[in-house]
Amino acid sequence: MSGVVAAIRSTTGTATGTSSVMVAQNVGRREITIVNDHATQVIYLQLATKRDVAPTAVVGEGIRLNAAGGSWTSNEWDGAIAAIATGAGTVYTIVEF
C-alpha cells in the first residue's frame, strides 16, 4: 500500500426522531467513521441487511452512538446506513474514504 488515501469525504448532517438514510451504499468505500456531535442526544445506526435495500433505524436498537463524541468506525461495511436520534437537531460528522 502506498500510503496515499484518495477521495476522503467529510460531511456533517442532522439526525432526527425519524429514521433516514445518512450514508448511501458505496462499494468503493474503504473506511467510514461516524461521530455524534450532540452534547446530550443519542444516535442509533442501522446497517442495511441486503444490497439496494434502505435500512430503518429504531431508537434503542442497532449501533448506539452516545452523546458528545460517541463514534463508530468500520473498514468492512460498504452498505447503506440509517440513523435515528433521541431528539431533533442531533448533529453528526461522517468521514469516509
Side-chain angles (χ1 to χ4, degrees), residues 11 13 21 30-31 33 36 45 55 65-66 69 73 82 84 87:
T11 60
V21 174
R30 295 176 60 195
E31 185 170 296
T33 298
N36 180 355
L45 306 179
L65 302 184
N66 288 326
T73 298
I84 192 168

Side-chain angles (χ1 to χ4, degrees), residues 14-21 44 56-59 82-88:
T14 303
T16 67
T18 302
S19 177
S20 63
V21 174
Y44 291 89
T56 301
V58 177
V59 171
I84 192 168
T86 55

Side-chain angles (χ1 to χ4, degrees), residues 25-38:
Q25 176 182 326
N26 177 355
V27 296
R29 180 185 304 136
R30 295 176 60 195
E31 185 170 296
I32 185 166
T33 298
I34 303 170
V35 181
N36 180 355
D37 296 324
H38 198 277

